[in-house]
Amino acid sequence: MYDKEWTQRICELTCSKNDVLGSQSAVKYDAEHPFKRYYSISVIRGAIGKYLSGEWDDRMLAHWACRYCWILLGGCDYDNVTEDLNAFERFVRDLITWDLDALSFFSAEDEDPQEMQNWLESFGHFDHIWQTRDEWRAVYAMIGRYAEENGDQYVLLINDKAREYMILYSEHLQNGYEDAYFRFVSRDEHEALAQRLKKDGYTMLSCSEEFYDMEIHDQ
């Protein structure tokens, strides 16, 4: 049995500092379809809103993000988590929880005035992709001077129906993996596709395009 009342307080943003600062190992997480059950962009926006309004401090927001991330993942015992996500859904889930994990290290001492707006934009874009996930495909390649050594990649997410795309850095794929959702291509093919999408008037959802351009021109 999972800690239902604690989970509700985290997801309803009625949690106390004790709820988010307590021992993580003591929490019993819901392992039955946790992402589809508990993910909500309104919850994430609400938590950031509490920080921006001054109701929460940076430490509260950071620790909340950590707890909410683990709720979405069903805890750290992955072998006992039940999910019915396809490969693309798992990829988008990983993008969202990766950002939540990054937010869990947030500190006001290092805050840029634009940082929270950037977080809101990032989560908003990923939520848009999640909500329209049946319309997207992914094309990825190893790009960067040390890409082969590091095993990382850049992914083009493409929605031909809405004429939208996103360029993002990723560590979530095994290079060479392909299925109905993902296609692995060469660096040159990837770059040519990105240029063609731009030329054809597709709307770019901002993410990692600046770093992508630097990597392309650095090779």
Side-chain angles (χ1 to χ4, degrees):
M1 186 63 182
Y2 70 99
D3 292 329
K4 183 176 181 179
E5 292 184 358
W6 176 88
T7 301
Q8 287 177 334
R9 291 196 297 273
I10 297 294
C11 293
E12 294 173 359
L13 305 179
T14 57
C15 48
S16 66
K17 283 192 174 182
N18 287 337
D19 286 325
V20 300
L21 296 176
S23 171
Q24 172 129 333
S25 61
V27 175
K28 296 178 181 178
Y29 291 94
D30 186 355
E32 295 296 321
H33 309 285
F35 189 81
K36 286 188 175 179
R37 181 174 292 180
Y38 297 109
Y39 168 68
S40 171
I41 186 62
S42 64
V43 172
I44 296 173
R45 286 172 173 160
I48 293 176
K50 282 181 175 289
Y51 169 73
L52 293 175
S53 70
E55 184 176 346
W56 284 3
D57 60 18
D58 57 343
R59 191 164 180 245
M60 181 71 179
L61 176 62
H63 284 282
W64 173 86
C66 179
R67 296 299 188 263
Y68 187 56
C69 180
W70 282 113
I71 287 173
L72 298 184
L73 293 172
C76 55
D77 189 4
Y78 304 121
D79 292 337
N80 291 323
V81 174
T82 300
E83 278 288 16
D84 58 352
L85 304 175
N86 63 41
F88 189 79
E89 289 173 333
R90 289 195 301 271
F91 181 76
V92 180
R93 176 204 60 188
D94 290 345
L95 294 176
I96 293 169
T97 54
W98 185 270
D99 261 18
L100 282 169
D101 181 68
L103 185 59
S104 74
F105 293 94
F106 173 70
S107 171
E109 294 181 2
D110 306 319
E111 182 181 0
D112 182 291
Q114 186 62 28
E115 185 169 6
M116 276 301 140
Q117 293 306 315
N118 292 339
W119 281 117
L120 287 168
E121 181 181 56
S122 179
F123 283 120
H125 286 335
F126 291 153
D127 180 70
H128 170 61
I129 293 170
W130 173 256
Q131 300 302 335
T132 57
R133 56 193 179 276
D134 293 336
E135 301 174 4
W136 293 81
R137 58 189 174 95
V139 180
Y140 73 103
M142 291 186 291
I143 294 173
R145 182 175 295 181
Y146 305 106
E148 291 194 17
E149 293 86 344
N150 295 336
D152 47 15
Q153 63 268 152
Y154 277 87
V155 183
L156 268 172
L157 297 181
I158 306 166
N159 184 329
D160 292 304
K161 180 179 179 180
R163 297 178 61 81
E164 296 174 330
Y165 73 106
M166 173 185 280
I167 301 173
L168 57 92
Y169 171 81
S170 172
E171 296 177 343
H172 303 301
L173 296 169
Q174 180 67 42
N175 283 308
Y177 171 80
E178 292 189 309
D179 63 12
Y181 309 97
F182 295 92
R183 184 162 65 95
F184 182 64
V185 299
S186 69
R187 185 190 76 89
D188 289 345
E189 187 175 353
H190 195 275
E191 182 182 4
L193 178 56
Q195 292 176 347
R196 186 162 68 248
L197 292 169
K198 181 178 180 180
K199 182 179 179 181
D200 289 347
Y202 278 53
T203 299
M204 183 176 65
L205 306 180
S206 182
C207 189
S208 308
E209 63 276 0
E210 291 184 9
F211 300 102
Y212 175 79
D213 288 342
M214 286 190 294
E215 294 281 19
I216 289 291
H217 293 111
D218 190 43
Q219 291 187 324

